[in-house]
């Protein structure tokens, strides 16, 4: 199919690719290229780029013109489009045969004005960041006046649009003006600073910079804990979590550092300037941002940015006014003492030197949308509209933005506006060790806590979540006094901190019996009602009026579960928030379990959060549980206020745990037993019903293939709820009807906590299953947590999970004892030669083992020789994958010697191992002798 036909056939898709982002950048870059290569005349360009006309209309004009110009122009157009579009967008289009070289145009130029056209793409790039210098040169030379400069500097223009506007103006001024601007660019290149001119900010700007950095430092230097009664230095306690790119990147070797968040590594969309840091609740996202803020304020990091503006989405929820960007920056971050307009103009002129951070996008009341477009920074709008336009780049294009959110709150609509996504995975095992030792000045106490964690792997798995690690460390006396293995679930940990905080207020009694909750029941219910209402209305910051409505007293506040909200409290009006959003969910769950005033439909509704969001039942679900006077807040925000599915699910998880047999004794004197039993039955029914819903969605297998289920994240949540209940009867009932050969849980954010829950439930499966957990965060601790269900796994897929040799040692020791275990895949982990002795033992011991895939690890010739020892004695292996290791000729020769008489091997891959002629010659013997081999790579 010729290029002209491709343009016509794909017209709708091309229009979408050029215009769907709402930005004209893709269209303008394509026009730059076509102008440079003479495929468009200047008159053509002016006919397409009509000021004020809709973007889609301009794009249609271009497509019409390109088509009428014929095959050559269409081919140039498609090649330019392929060059301009991000890879994921370009993948949806066909560019068959369109591979022209657009880098250079071999023509001699006679005039500077023509050079402006033929080198337009590169000139646009070079002018960004030094517009002011170019304008100054044109003014000094007498070619530009202040009106020309103002047209170029229009606030609605992005940096690239300012560059194009400048070039268009220069072209209209003639040959001498073109010479001036080309000479200026050449000088910038020669001085080695063509991308960013040496700035001399005005004095008032520098004073503001100092004031802002001082303010940011003051807000960031302490980590407020325990109701604000003690302040912990961030320097003393900060422990790095594990940062990973959310997508594969060949350039990344080793862990990511803090500055890599805004570095070039892992960039997937060069045109975007928003970076997402995603992580589960409690994974340390806010603390990571706090650390970044502090390092910037001290001049220790991010020094490419002259200003950093930190925002909390939780607090922006409370902003009812319409604001402009200038008001948002100066009123919510730091107010300039003077020359506000001059400082804001400097920000507009140098967006690439400014960094915004938005913490907790998932806590914003409104879901992300790109429907309301805004491009003027002086125009007022609701705060969420400003935020969404800043993120997508239609407002303040060029300013860097770092946004944190839980992964489930980020949909494809937002992801297309991201420069890259970084995942925060919580603490590594060494991180847990480091945090506990930092938290306790007494090394003896720290050592005892760590020893206790090592004997309770379920609790150790929970501590990969920093907020849970903090709770466990904070409650060390309760932890060390409660006996080995007694803490198993997330609910156990939160009940422990509830007890710790309540008894902290009455230390003389030190009542460790069951009456501690009854004594403080009124406080718990009042805080629970506040938390419950807040979850229902996406409210996390509470005014004094909110507290009074729920009856919360000063004594309740002193318990330590509520802290005064930063930046929201003044001498006249205080605002409060729970220690952490998970603490708010826990108190909401306590209210649901202990209160006699809740509607009987509240628990079933809680376990159907997706239905709530889809049908707008939020206020009915939560409103039914509250006295009518408390429903005022339901009205605030109108339709935009919707209960967040993630927080509803966390609350439901806690409800499951609180109603477990192990905690029911706590509630005996706090709630009628008949009501408690009714709630237990409700939760059991909801969990069983939820699981059946997933099972019914399993499609019938294609003839000749195994029946498989690709689980959704909601399935993992239900599994965690079942685990929290700690009742084998409920687990058996929930999983008994699952009849599949293969259970797929890839990209489901499976960590050690989820592994514990999965193993607890899956161990009750009736028939063996293949368990696929590729591309998660299982790690060595997670592997250990999976061992209880190994007997039911005939195959285990753990690709890309940060597993080391130590995890393999424990896995193989258990796998050898399991009759069903026949296949394992461990591509792209952290395995070395040390693991091969365990696999060798496995191969010698299990004569029904079928498949071993260890690609893309760090296995050398020594490891291959160790594997060969096991292979000599094995008479069952069919698939062996070792590609992407370092076995070399020596390793290949050892494997060839062990396999040359194999009667079972079907498939062998040794790609990317540095195998040369000697290794290939040895491998030829396998081909010569084997009667079973079908493929060798």
């Amino acid at each position: 199919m010729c290029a002209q036909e491709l343009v016509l056939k794909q017209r709708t898709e091309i229009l979408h690719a050029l215009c769907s982002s709402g930005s004209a950048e893709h269209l303008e870059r394509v026009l730059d290229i076509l102008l440079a290569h003479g495929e468009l005349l200047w008159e053509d360009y002016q006919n397409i780029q009509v000021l004020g006309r809709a973007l889609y209309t301009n794009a249609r004009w271009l497509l019409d013109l390109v088509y009428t110009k014929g095959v050559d122009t269409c081919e140039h157009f498609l090649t330019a489009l392929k060059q301009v579009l991000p890879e994921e967008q370009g993948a949806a289009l066909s560019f068959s045969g369109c591979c022209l070289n657009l880098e250079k145009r071999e023509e001699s130029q006679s005039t500077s004005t023509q050079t402006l056209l033929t080198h337009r793409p590169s000139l646009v790039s070079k002018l960004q960041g030094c517009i002011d210098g170019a304008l100054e040169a044109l003014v000094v030379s007498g070619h530009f006046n202040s009106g020309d400069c103002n047209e170029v500097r229009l606030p609605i223009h992005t940096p690239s649009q300012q560059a194009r506007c400048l070039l268009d103006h220069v072209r209209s001024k003639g040959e001498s003006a073109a010479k001036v601007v080309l000479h200026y660019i050449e000088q910038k290149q020669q001085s080695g600073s063509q991308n960013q001119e040496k700035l001399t900010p005005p004095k008032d700007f520098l004073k503001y910079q100092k004031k802002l950095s001082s303010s940011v430092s003051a807000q960031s230097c302490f980590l407020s804990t325990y109701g604000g009664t003690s302040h912990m230095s961030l320097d003393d306690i900060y422990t790095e979590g594990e940062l990973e790119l959310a997508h594969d990147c060949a350039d990344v070797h080793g862990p990511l550092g803090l500055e890599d968040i805004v570095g070039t590594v892992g960039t997937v969309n060069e045109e975007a300037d928003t970076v997402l840091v995603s992580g589960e609740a409690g994974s340390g996202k806010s603390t990571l941002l706090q650390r970044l803020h502090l390092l910037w304020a001290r001049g220790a990091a991010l020094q490419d940015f002259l200003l950093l503006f930190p925002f909390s989405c939780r607090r922006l929820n409370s902003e009812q006014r319409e604001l402009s960007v200038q008001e948002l920056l100066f009123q919510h971050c730091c107010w300039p003492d003077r020359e506000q307009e001059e400082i804001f103009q400097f920000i507009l002129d140098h967006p690439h030197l400014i960094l915004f951070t938005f913490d907790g996008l998932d806590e914003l009341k409104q879901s992300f949308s790109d429907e309301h477009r805004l491009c003027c920074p002086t125009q007022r709008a609701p705060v969420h509209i400003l935020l969404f336009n800043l993120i997508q780049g239609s407002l303040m294009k060029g300013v860097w933005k770092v946004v944190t959110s839980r992964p489930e709150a980020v949909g494809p609509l937002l992801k297309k506006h991201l420069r890259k996504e970084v995942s925060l995975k919580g603490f590594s095992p060494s991180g847990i060790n480091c945090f506990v030792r930092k938290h306790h000045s007494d090394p003896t106490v720290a050592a005892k806590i760590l020893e206790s964690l090592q004997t309770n792997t379920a609790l150790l798995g929970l501590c990969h979540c920093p907020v849970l690690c903090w709770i466990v460390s904070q409650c060390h006396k309760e932890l060390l006094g409660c006996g080995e293995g007694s803490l198993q679930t997330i609910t156990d940990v939160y009940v422990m901190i509830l007890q710790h905080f309540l008894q902290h207020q009455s230390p003389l009694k030190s009542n460790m019996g069951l009456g501690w909750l009854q004594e403080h029941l009124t406080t718990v219910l009042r805080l629970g009602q506040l938390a419950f209402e807040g979850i229902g209305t996406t409210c996390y910051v509470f005014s004094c009026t909110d507290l009074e409505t729920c009856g919360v007293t000063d004594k309740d506040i002193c318990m330590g579960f509520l802290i005064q909200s930063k930046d929201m409290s003044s001498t006249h009006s205080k605002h409060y928030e729970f220690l952490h959003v998970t603490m708010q969910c826990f108190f909401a769950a306590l209210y649901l379990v202990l209160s006699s005033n809740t509607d009987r439909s509240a628990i079933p509704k809680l376990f159907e959060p997706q239905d709530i969001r889809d049908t707008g039942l939020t206020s009915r679900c939560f409103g039914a549980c509250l006295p009518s006077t408390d429903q005022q807040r339901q009205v605030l925000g109108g339709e935009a206020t919707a209960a967040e599915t993630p927080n509803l699910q966390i609350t439901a998880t806690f409800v499951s745990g609180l109603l477990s047999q192990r905690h029911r004794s706590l509630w005996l004197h706090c709630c009628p037993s008949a009501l408690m039993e009714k709630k237990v039955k409700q939760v059991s029914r909801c969990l069983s019903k939820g699981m059946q819903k997933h099972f019914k969605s399993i499609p019938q297998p294609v003839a000749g293939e195994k029946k498989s289920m690709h689980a959704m994240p909601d399935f993992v949540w239900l599994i965690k709820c079942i685990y929290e209940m700690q009742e084998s009867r409920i687990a058996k009932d929930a999983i008994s009807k699952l009849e599949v050969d293969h259970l797929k849980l890839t990209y489901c954010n499976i960590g050690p906590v989820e592994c514990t829950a999965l193993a607890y439930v899956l161990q009750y499966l009736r028939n063996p299953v293949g368990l696929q957990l590729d591309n998660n965060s299982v790690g060595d601790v997670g592997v250990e947590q999976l061992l209880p269900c190994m007997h039911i796994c005939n195959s285990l897929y753990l690709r890309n999970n940060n597993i080391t040799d130590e995890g393999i040692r424990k896995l193989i020791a258990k796998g050898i004892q399991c009759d069903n275990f026949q296949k394992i895949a461990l591509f792209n982990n952290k395995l070395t030669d040390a693991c091969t002795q365990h696999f060798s033992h496995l191969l010698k011991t299990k004569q029904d083992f079928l498949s071993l895939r260890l690609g893309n690890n760090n296995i050398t010739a020594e490891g291959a020789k160790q594997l060969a020892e096991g292979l000599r004695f094995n008479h069952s292996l069919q698939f062996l994958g070792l590609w992407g290791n370092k076995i070399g000729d020596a390793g290949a020769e050892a494997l060839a010697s062990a396999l040359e008489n194999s009667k079972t091997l079907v498939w062998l891959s040794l790609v990317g191992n540095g195998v040369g002629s000697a290794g290939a010659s040895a491998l030829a013997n396998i081909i010569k002798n084997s009667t079973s081999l079908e493929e060798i790579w």
Side-chain angles (χ1 to χ4, degrees):
M1 189 179 293
C2 76
Q4 196 173 22
E5 291 171 329
L6 283 172
V7 169
L8 187 61
K9 185 180 179 183
Q10 301 180 109
R11 184 181 174 92
T12 302
E13 292 80 3
I14 292 171
L15 280 171
H16 182 75
L18 285 172
C19 307
S20 61
S21 69
S23 165
E25 185 65 22
H26 291 155
L27 177 63
E28 289 171 351
R29 287 179 65 194
V30 169
L31 289 172
D32 290 345
I33 293 169
L34 295 178
L35 274 172
H37 288 264
E39 296 300 323
L40 290 185
L41 301 174
W42 184 249
E43 291 73 19
D44 296 330
Y45 175 77
Q46 290 178 312
N47 287 333
I48 293 166
Q49 287 288 73
V50 175
L51 193 64
R53 196 164 64 187
L55 176 60
Y56 271 94
T57 305
N58 289 345
R60 289 189 182 96
W61 271 77
L62 173 62
L63 290 181
D64 292 343
L65 185 61
V66 163
Y67 184 80
T68 59
K69 282 179 176 282
V71 174
D72 288 347
T73 303
C74 288
E75 191 167 354
H76 274 86
F77 168 74
L78 289 173
T79 307
L81 190 64
K82 185 177 182 181
Q83 180 177 311
V84 163
L85 290 179
E87 189 175 338
E88 62 273 15
Q89 275 190 282
L93 296 170
S94 171
F95 300 99
S96 179
C98 300
C99 52
L100 298 175
N101 182 6
L102 298 180
E103 294 303 313
K104 292 183 181 179
R105 187 185 178 199
E106 299 295 335
E107 289 182 16
S108 60
Q109 305 303 329
S110 56
T111 67
S112 297
T113 312
Q114 284 179 307
T115 303
L116 293 184
L117 279 185
T118 56
H119 289 75
R120 186 178 175 93
S122 64
L123 291 175
V124 168
S125 175
K126 290 170 184 175
L127 278 169
Q128 292 182 55
C130 60
I131 294 288
D132 284 347
L135 288 173
E136 186 179 350
L138 288 162
V139 170
V140 169
S141 65
H143 292 97
F144 268 34
N145 57 33
S146 59
D148 296 322
C149 294
N150 290 338
E151 277 197 57
V152 171
R153 285 178 174 144
L154 276 175
I156 61 171
H157 285 160
T158 66
S160 61
Q161 286 173 330
Q162 287 183 344
R164 291 186 183 97
C165 186
L166 186 146
L167 291 175
D168 295 348
H169 271 62
V170 167
R171 192 173 185 280
S172 70
K173 300 285 184 181
E175 183 69 10
S176 59
K179 284 182 179 177
V180 169
V181 80
L182 290 173
H183 179 66
Y184 170 78
I185 292 171
E186 187 180 356
Q187 278 188 320
K188 294 296 293 179
Q189 286 185 289
Q190 288 172 353
S191 66
S193 57
Q194 65 271 27
N195 293 322
Q196 182 178 322
E197 56 191 347
K198 187 172 178 62
L199 291 171
T200 51
K203 286 184 179 179
D204 287 313
F205 177 90
L206 295 173
K207 285 180 182 177
Y208 178 69
Q209 183 188 41
K210 188 174 181 180
K211 182 179 180 181
L212 177 63
S213 61
S214 176
S215 171
V216 170
S217 177
Q219 293 174 32
S220 308
C221 59
F222 290 107
L223 187 68
S224 181
T225 59
Y226 205 176
T229 55
S230 67
H231 285 82
M232 196 173 289
S233 166
L234 189 66
D235 288 328
D236 293 341
I237 196 64
Y238 181 75
T239 305
E240 287 194 359
E242 292 186 291
L243 281 171
E244 299 175 4
L245 290 171
H247 50 276
D248 294 332
C249 181
D251 301 331
V252 179
H253 303 287
L256 294 180
L258 282 180
E259 291 214 71
D260 289 325
I261 292 172
V262 291
T264 57
V265 62
T267 299
V268 294
N269 185 355
E270 295 280 357
E271 294 302 313
D273 38 41
T274 297
V275 176
L276 173 69
V277 178
S278 62
E280 297 296 336
S283 60
K285 301 182 294 295
S286 298
T287 308
L288 178 143
L289 273 192
Q290 194 178 335
R291 183 64 175 171
L292 272 179
H293 297 163
L294 185 60
L295 292 175
W296 173 81
R298 288 176 174 168
L302 306 178
Q303 291 309 286
D304 288 339
F305 300 104
L306 296 184
L307 298 178
L308 184 152
F309 292 96
F311 297 96
S312 161
C313 293
R314 175 181 293 193
R315 289 166 197 131
L316 290 178
N317 274 334
S318 302
E319 181 57 79
Q320 303 298 322
R321 299 169 298 169
E322 291 195 354
L323 301 175
S324 67
V325 174
Q326 180 174 342
E327 290 167 333
L328 179 71
L329 299 183
F330 294 163
Q331 292 181 21
H332 275 266
C333 290
C334 180
W335 183 261
D337 295 324
R338 52 188 293 179
E339 301 296 344
Q340 290 94 337
E341 295 301 327
E342 183 183 9
I343 291 167
F344 188 62
Q345 188 58 52
F346 186 91
I347 292 170
L348 293 179
D349 292 342
H350 305 91
H352 56 290
L353 302 178
I354 313 299
L355 175 65
F356 295 168
T357 65
F358 295 98
D359 187 29
L361 184 66
D362 52 298
E363 294 184 359
L364 205 65
K365 290 181 180 180
Q366 296 82 4
S367 298
F368 179 81
S369 166
D370 58 5
E371 290 178 5
H372 300 93
R373 291 287 174 178
L374 193 66
C375 57
C376 179
T378 57
Q379 183 180 340
R380 286 179 173 161
V383 168
H384 70 278
I385 300 293
L386 291 183
L387 175 53
F388 296 160
N389 279 276
L390 286 168
I391 288 172
Q392 63 192 302
S394 53
L395 190 60
M396 302 284 285
K397 180 69 177 174
V399 171
W400 278 74
K401 280 82 63 174
V402 176
V403 179
T404 69
S405 175
R406 279 179 271 183
E408 57 267 32
V410 182
L413 193 63
L414 173 58
K415 288 198 174 187
K416 72 179 182 181
H417 299 294
L418 296 180
R419 188 176 184 85
K420 63 180 169 184
E421 180 180 353
V422 178
S423 298
L424 181 58
K425 299 295 186 180
F427 288 152
S428 64
S430 60
I432 295 172
N433 188 306
C434 178
F435 179 84
V436 171
R437 293 188 187 281
K438 282 185 173 185
H439 195 255
H440 293 280
S441 54
D442 185 344
T444 307
V445 173
K448 285 181 179 178
I449 293 171
L450 292 169
E451 185 181 343
S452 178
L453 292 178
Q454 292 302 325
T455 59
N456 184 349
T457 54
L459 186 57
L460 180 62
L462 292 175
C463 285
H464 282 264
C465 178
V467 72
L468 295 178
C469 194
W470 173 76
I471 291 174
V472 167
S473 195
Q474 184 77 19
C475 305
H476 62 278
K477 289 181 181 177
E478 290 83 353
L479 171 69
L480 298 175
C482 66
E484 185 178 323
S486 59
L487 294 179
Q488 295 290 319
T489 69
I490 295 175
T491 309
D492 293 346
V493 174
Y494 278 76
V495 168
M496 180 175 71
I497 198 169
L498 178 68
Q499 182 179 0
H500 171 84
F501 273 45
L502 293 178
Q503 292 185 336
H504 182 81
Q505 295 301 314
S506 49
L508 295 178
K509 297 182 182 179
S510 293
N511 181 13
M512 298 298 286
L514 298 178
W516 61 268
L517 180 65
Q518 189 179 4
E519 181 186 345
H520 298 285
L521 181 61
T522 308
T523 292
V524 170
L525 284 175
R526 287 194 290 247
L527 292 173
Q529 183 179 337
L530 181 72
F532 186 67
E533 284 190 56
I535 294 293
T537 56
T538 324
C539 179
Y540 307 101
V541 179
F542 304 95
S543 66
C544 291
T545 305
D546 294 327
L547 270 62
E548 287 170 12
T549 303
C550 295
V552 176
T553 65
D554 289 342
K555 186 181 177 183
D556 298 335
I557 294 170
C558 289
M559 289 292 177
F561 300 107
L562 289 174
I563 58 173
Q564 202 164 310
S565 183
K566 293 179 186 176
D567 309 328
M568 288 287 292
S569 298
S570 65
T571 51
H572 304 294
S573 174
K574 292 181 179 179
H575 288 75
Y576 294 89
E577 57 191 291
F578 281 87
L579 272 174
H580 191 266
V581 68
T582 54
M583 188 67 74
Q584 184 172 342
C585 294
F586 178 64
F587 269 93
L590 280 168
Y591 182 72
L592 267 174
V593 169
L594 296 176
S595 175
S596 302
N597 298 328
T598 56
D599 187 88
R600 64 180 181 179
S601 67
I603 286 178
K605 289 275 195 299
L606 185 66
F607 281 85
E608 299 168 8
Q610 196 59 51
D611 295 339
I612 291 172
R613 173 164 285 185
D614 290 346
T615 59
L617 290 172
T618 305
S619 39
R620 268 180 276 166
C621 164
F622 286 87
C625 313
L626 307 170
S628 58
T629 54
D630 293 331
Q631 293 184 29
Q632 299 169 39
R633 191 181 301 137
Q634 311 290 345
V635 182
L636 295 179
E639 293 181 4
T641 304
E644 291 178 85
T645 299
N647 287 340
L648 288 172
Q649 290 185 340
I650 294 172
T651 304
T653 306
F654 281 131
V655 167
S656 304
L658 291 170
L659 289 172
S660 66
Q661 189 68 51
R662 61 199 283 126
H663 291 305
R664 251 173 266 172
S665 56
L666 280 176
W667 327 130
L668 276 176
H669 304 291
C670 303
C671 187
S673 57
L675 182 61
M676 192 65 64
E677 286 301 321
K678 194 176 290 183
K679 290 179 180 180
V680 170
K681 288 178 181 176
Q682 277 187 318
V683 171
S684 299
R685 277 197 299 270
C686 287
L687 294 176
S688 180
K689 182 181 173 184
M691 294 294 277
Q692 300 312 315
K693 186 177 177 182
H694 280 276
F695 300 160
K696 286 176 183 175
S697 68
I698 302 172
Q700 289 301 313
V702 178
E705 292 187 6
K706 293 183 176 180
K707 187 176 183 181
S708 65
M709 171 183 168
H710 193 158
M712 295 291 107
D714 279 3
F715 176 80
V716 180
W717 161 62
L718 288 169
I719 292 281
K720 287 167 75 173
C721 289
I722 294 167
Y723 174 71
E724 290 292 315
M725 293 206 80
Q726 288 288 295
E727 291 188 36
S728 56
R729 174 187 56 81
I730 293 174
K732 285 177 185 175
D733 178 60
I735 205 72
S736 61
K737 295 181 179 64
L738 177 60
E739 295 181 1
V740 293
D741 302 304
H742 193 82
L743 182 57
K744 193 173 182 181
L745 288 154
T746 57
Y747 293 103
C748 281
N749 292 308
I750 305 289
V753 175
E754 290 74 22
C755 288
T756 307
L758 276 170
Y760 179 79
V761 176
L762 296 183
Q763 65 180 321
Y764 297 113
L765 279 169
R766 292 177 178 175
N767 300 310
V769 69
L771 182 59
Q772 188 168 352
L773 295 169
D774 298 338
N775 300 295
N776 285 294
S777 305
V778 172
D780 291 346
V781 176
V783 165
E784 192 169 356
Q785 297 307 100
L786 287 171
L787 299 184
C789 72
M790 278 289 291
H791 67 281
I792 206 72
C793 295
N794 53 32
S795 53
L796 192 56
Y797 302 87
L798 291 165
R799 301 176 181 95
N800 197 25
N801 267 292
N802 282 320
I803 297 167
T804 71
D805 301 327
E806 178 59 20
I808 295 305
R809 181 183 69 79
K810 295 175 181 178
L811 180 68
I812 299 304
K814 177 70 175 179
I816 286 172
Q817 303 167 23
C818 300
D819 294 339
N820 291 316
F821 183 49
Q822 294 183 318
K823 299 177 182 179
I824 192 165
L826 291 156
F827 162 78
N828 202 32
N829 281 285
K830 296 179 179 178
L831 308 183
T832 70
D833 292 336
C835 76
T836 56
Q837 61 178 310
H838 308 301
F839 286 117
S840 182
H841 180 49
L842 171 77
L843 292 167
K844 289 177 184 177
T845 308
K846 282 187 74 68
Q847 291 302 320
D848 60 348
F849 201 75
L850 301 177
S851 178
L852 177 61
R853 298 173 190 260
L854 303 173
N856 214 34
N857 282 287
N858 294 295
I859 297 169
T860 71
E862 290 306 310
K865 290 173 185 177
Q866 188 76 250
L867 278 177
E869 287 301 310
L871 289 167
R872 290 182 196 279
F873 297 95
N874 183 273
H875 305 295
S876 62
L877 195 72
Q878 296 178 1
F879 301 89
L880 178 60
L882 284 165
W883 69 273
N885 283 285
K886 303 166 187 173
I887 69 168
D889 281 335
E893 288 172 338
L895 292 173
S897 174
L899 292 168
E900 62 181 355
N901 294 312
S902 171
K903 293 180 174 59
T904 58
L905 189 69
V906 174
W907 182 90
L908 173 65
S909 175
L910 299 176
V911 173
N913 267 287
V915 177
S917 299
S921 298
L923 292 167
N925 288 326
I926 304 178
I927 301 171
K928 187 187 299 182
N929 300 330
S930 174
T931 56
S932 58
L933 189 68
E934 294 177 8
E935 284 186 51
I936 183 166
W937 294 81

